Amino acid sequence: MLRRLLPTLVALGCGLLALGWGLVSLQRIFGQEREDAHDQVRSRREALEHAASESLRQSLARQLEETIPALHEAVGDPLAPAEGFYLLFRNYQFLPRITRPSAGYRTPAKDAYLVLEAHLADGSPAGRWEQRLARLRAVEAALAARNTRGVGRLVEDLLRYHAANPLPAVQELPFLVLTLERLQRGKDTEPLVRALLREGLPEDFGGFARASGLQRDLLRDRSRFTQSDFDFLHEHIVRLSTALGEPTSDFMDRSGEVGAGMLVMPDGLVEPTLIGEQWYVEPKNEEAVYGIAVDVVALLRPIAADLRARRLLDTDGTLSLKTDRPVQPMRTLRVRAEMPQWVRAEADIEARYGLKTVLVAVCGTLAMAIFALSVVAQQRKYRFLELKSDFVATVSHELRTPLASIRLLGETLERKLAHTPEVRDYPARIVQAADGLHFLVENILSFNRIDKGRWKLRTSRVRLEELVNPLRDDLASATTVPVDLVTDVGDAELEADPSLLRLLFANLGRNACAYNRRSPVRISVTAQTIPGHGCTVLFRDNGVGMPEAEWENVFQDFYRLTQPGPEVHGSGLGLALCRKIMRLHGGDIQVATSSPEGTTFALTFHESYR
């Protein structure tokens, strides 16, 4: 067939190659036009994005420089605003402030306050607190006696003792709050006592290192207190501030301030960097890193307005930060510019290129379709002729041989049967040849009826044993080689057409005998029924087997498997008919295993009954 198709294939191939070369060249020209148009739009976009990126870098650096004085003030004064500031000095984070209270529900500060208050109320001994409480009682006594000189001297003595004997924050702040509550007299409060609240003590009494004012001390040591202790002390300090006329707004603001907590900086930070699009940090020297919280979107608005004023950005154009990394060094910072006119221009470019590509593709597809249809038409024509010829030749041969045998044996029987005992087996051979002819005709007729959809199933409940057992007699009359048939199907039952299944098993059995060089021929039929999953029948033989590549081919119509050794006669319809019978019953047949030791066919019935 290939020799007949070769001239047509050569002519069609040359024409297809010439057309393909022309279409490829045309497509390359269209592609280059597209790239040039995109490059023009891209160059305008890149120039605008570069200008916007430089403006954003300058805005970030300028905003940090303007914020540094306020940042330094926030480091030194807990009452100064610190939201949005960052300072890392010698690997210690000063800003943002750590505003999280200590974990837990204990209240050691409140307990200390209540214990001291109780000792002052009943005058009982206070142990290690006794020295402080004795001095506090002395000041209270002087105040009660209106001894002005004595009050100042006793207050100084109390504060000097306080400075010389520091306590943990959870004890010191409750003591100072209690001291201030008992010694405050409104606007007549002693200056040193008033300084305990906000201004802080002079250097003679420890200065800011010992007492920078209760408001500042509570904010600075916030992480040392549980939330309950913090709220307790905060309430008392606000009450004292109100009583003494001290400002409380900044103290209240800082108390409600929610810090960013501990910020983790990337290792090896050596240049200005934007982190998470929220923080701009800049190393100032080898020991310090300054940073501020930024709103990139807000910073881009004046840049966009400036570009619009210079007619570089359309009124509906937008700027946004282009980043795919959480840590973005300033030298790699890029601003994305978007303008609808660019989108429309690129869409038009793609539309024009797409239209041209579709035209090229349509031409190529039509050419390929014409080529494929021509090849398929020729191939089908010659394939049909070959199949017709092969089928006629095969059927003619298979019919002629049994008929010739019948005639020859019949004539011989007629002449010699009455005189020679040796010809007594002639009638059996005549019957065997006739059976082979009948089986071939039955295969052809059944195949034709099923293939054209003319076979109507006549199903009934039938035991599998009843379908397999007749195979012994059938094979005994069809072959001269002894056949050993073993069945293990139990009491499995199927809803099937008995005549078709008998034909199926007959084809499998005759194939097992035809493609076999052993004596006896061994055939095994087993069945396994799984409730809800149907029945699987395994048909095994000890034949010559087949290559794995042929496992599916053998089920094709008129397919003959070529094997070394003596030629095996047949029509090529046996296994094809078996598959059609199985599929007519809603099942399937496949080659499960095959080797030189034999072949196993698996028949799957999806409906079974027991």
Side-chain angles (χ1 to χ4, degrees):
M1 184 175 66
L2 181 61
R3 185 172 63 252
R4 296 177 180 178
L5 286 175
L6 188 59
T8 303
L9 292 176
V10 170
L12 289 174
C14 291
L16 188 64
L17 287 176
L19 179 60
W21 181 83
L23 292 177
V24 170
S25 300
L26 187 61
Q27 185 64 21
R28 292 178 61 186
I29 295 174
F30 293 156
Q32 189 60 48
E33 291 178 351
R34 173 199 181 199
E35 291 300 322
D36 292 342
H38 278 304
D39 287 341
Q40 293 179 2
V41 176
R42 192 179 301 114
S43 62
R44 295 196 297 269
R45 182 196 301 270
E46 289 176 352
L48 184 60
E49 290 179 348
H50 177 74
S53 300
E54 287 297 323
S55 298
L56 180 59
R57 294 189 191 100
Q58 295 173 9
S59 297
L60 289 170
R62 184 171 56 252
Q63 184 173 345
L64 177 61
E65 288 297 327
E66 294 172 352
T67 309
I68 285 180
L71 191 148
H72 286 162
E73 182 184 359
V75 172
D77 187 359
L79 290 175
E83 288 184 303
F85 295 162
Y86 177 81
L87 176 60
L88 182 71
F89 183 73
R90 294 181 179 176
N91 294 325
Y92 180 80
Q93 178 181 309
F94 286 89
L95 297 176
R97 299 182 180 121
I98 307 300
T99 59
R100 296 187 183 91
S102 175
Y105 299 95
R106 299 178 60 190
T107 57
K110 181 178 179 181
D111 295 342
Y113 176 90
L114 296 176
V115 168
L116 294 175
E117 188 178 41
H119 284 302
L120 287 173
D122 58 18
S124 59
R128 59 191 181 87
W129 292 97
E130 188 61 34
Q131 293 292 331
R132 281 182 168 80
L133 295 184
R135 287 173 171 77
L136 179 56
R137 292 189 187 99
V139 177
E140 286 186 298
L143 285 172
R146 300 184 181 275
N147 185 357
T148 305
R149 291 184 179 180
V151 168
R153 179 174 54 78
L154 292 173
V155 168
E156 291 178 4
D157 180 57
L158 173 62
L159 295 181
R160 283 194 176 91
Y161 181 84
H162 163 75
N165 298 274
L167 294 170
V170 294
Q171 297 177 354
E172 185 167 291
L173 263 64
F175 173 74
L176 292 178
V177 168
L178 183 61
T179 299
L180 193 56
E181 287 178 342
R182 299 183 74 92
L183 300 184
Q184 68 89 10
R185 295 295 184 271
K187 60 182 179 179
D188 296 330
T189 301
E190 284 290 318
L192 284 177
V193 175
R194 179 183 292 273
L196 288 173
L197 183 60
R198 184 177 176 90
E199 295 178 4
L201 294 177
E203 291 298 328
D204 294 345
F205 300 96
F208 266 51
R210 288 295 299 118
S212 57
L214 284 173
Q215 291 184 358
R216 290 182 175 85
D217 290 341
L218 181 61
L219 295 174
R220 181 182 59 208
D221 296 327
R222 182 172 189 169
S223 61
R224 301 176 185 273
F225 297 96
T226 63
Q227 186 64 48
S228 299
D229 272 348
F230 179 84
D231 294 339
F232 174 78
L233 295 174
H234 181 272
E235 180 183 355
H236 283 259
I237 292 173
V238 170
R239 190 183 304 128
L240 285 170
S241 299
T242 303
L244 296 177
E246 295 291 341
T248 59
S249 58
D250 52 358
F251 176 62
M252 299 287 287
D253 291 341
R254 300 294 82 76
S255 298
E257 185 178 274
V258 179
M262 183 66 68
L263 296 182
V264 179
M265 289 293 110
D267 295 333
L269 189 65
V270 296
E271 59 181 321
T273 303
L274 186 65
I275 299 177
E277 300 186 31
Q278 296 179 343
W279 289 90
Y280 171 71
V281 295
E282 181 178 335
K284 289 297 184 179
N285 49 55
E286 296 181 356
E287 296 182 332
V289 178
Y290 289 81
I292 54 173
V294 295
D295 184 352
V296 177
V297 175
L299 290 174
L300 288 175
R301 290 194 190 102
I303 297 175
D306 177 64
L307 293 176
R308 292 191 186 98
R310 294 157 57 186
R311 297 185 179 180
L312 297 176
L313 186 68
D314 291 347
T315 55
D316 50 359
T318 59
L319 298 179
S320 60
L321 190 63
K322 179 168 61 176
T323 179
D324 55 356
R325 295 183 296 174
V327 178
Q328 186 76 45
M330 284 296 101
R331 57 182 171 80
T332 62
L333 184 69
R334 296 291 182 271
V335 173
R336 179 188 291 110
E338 296 289 347
M339 285 201 295
Q341 69 171 8
W342 292 343
V343 177
R344 290 192 296 269
E346 291 186 342
D348 291 342
I349 294 171
E350 291 298 325
R352 291 195 298 270
Y353 176 75
L355 179 60
K356 296 174 183 178
T357 301
V358 168
L359 293 177
V360 171
V362 168
C363 293
T365 303
L366 289 176
M368 291 296 296
I370 293 172
F371 177 81
L373 289 174
S374 301
V375 172
V376 169
Q378 293 295 321
Q379 185 182 21
R380 289 197 174 193
K381 173 183 175 182
Y382 293 121
R383 178 62 177 165
F384 174 76
L385 292 176
E386 287 188 357
L387 287 175
K388 181 179 179 181
S389 177
D390 292 345
F391 178 74
V392 172
T394 300
V395 172
S396 299
H397 176 76
E398 296 297 330
L399 289 175
R400 186 170 58 250
T401 300
L403 288 175
S405 298
I406 292 172
R407 181 175 181 179
L408 178 62
L409 295 175
E411 290 176 353
T412 304
L413 180 65
E414 182 181 4
R415 292 193 306 268
K416 298 184 177 182
L417 183 61
H419 308 288
T420 307
E422 290 81 2
V423 298
R424 294 175 181 177
D425 63 332
Y426 280 18
R429 293 170 62 184
I430 293 173
V431 172
Q432 184 178 2
D435 286 345
L437 176 62
H438 177 269
F439 185 77
L440 175 62
V441 172
E442 184 67 22
N443 268 2
I444 294 173
L445 294 177
S446 299
F447 181 88
N448 184 59
R449 290 177 62 188
I450 294 175
D451 188 54
K452 293 183 178 181
R454 296 177 180 174
W455 190 289
K456 293 184 179 180
L457 284 177
R458 296 179 176 85
T459 60
S460 62
R461 288 183 60 185
V462 57
R463 296 180 69 248
L464 188 57
E465 184 73 25
E466 297 175 359
L467 299 175
V468 178
N469 282 338
L471 187 60
R472 289 188 176 89
D473 298 335
D474 180 68
L475 294 180
S477 63
T479 180
T480 58
V481 180
V483 178
D484 182 11
L485 176 62
V486 177
T487 62
D488 181 15
V489 296
D491 57 350
E493 294 185 355
L494 299 172
E495 186 74 17
D497 189 325
S499 60
L500 282 182
L501 290 192
R502 290 191 185 97
L503 184 61
L504 181 149
F505 286 117
N507 273 285
L508 292 177
R510 288 175 182 252
N511 273 359
C513 295
Y515 293 92
N516 204 312
R517 300 174 188 170
R518 296 179 174 88
S519 180
V521 175
R522 298 187 184 277
I523 297 176
S524 169
V525 182
T526 60
Q528 181 180 12
T529 302
I530 301 176
H533 296 278
C535 177
T536 298
V537 179
L538 297 180
F539 189 99
R540 299 184 180 89
D541 62 49
N542 62 341
V544 296
M546 67 184 79
E548 186 175 353
E550 300 284 356
W551 286 8
E552 277 299 315
N553 295 334
V554 295
F555 294 104
Q556 296 179 11
D557 301 346
F558 307 110
Y559 189 84
R560 298 290 308 283
L561 185 63
T562 303
Q563 294 280 9
E567 180 182 2
V568 178
H569 298 288
S571 63
L573 288 178
L575 291 179
L577 178 60
C578 290
R579 175 161 283 185
K580 289 183 180 294
I581 291 174
M582 288 301 299
R583 290 183 174 174
L584 193 63
H585 285 82
D588 197 10
I589 180 173
Q590 294 179 336
V591 178
T593 60
S594 185
S595 68
E597 301 302 320
T599 301
T600 299
F601 291 91
L603 290 73
T604 304
F605 296 89
H606 296 298
E607 293 292 339
S608 65
Y609 303 86
R610 289 183 60 86

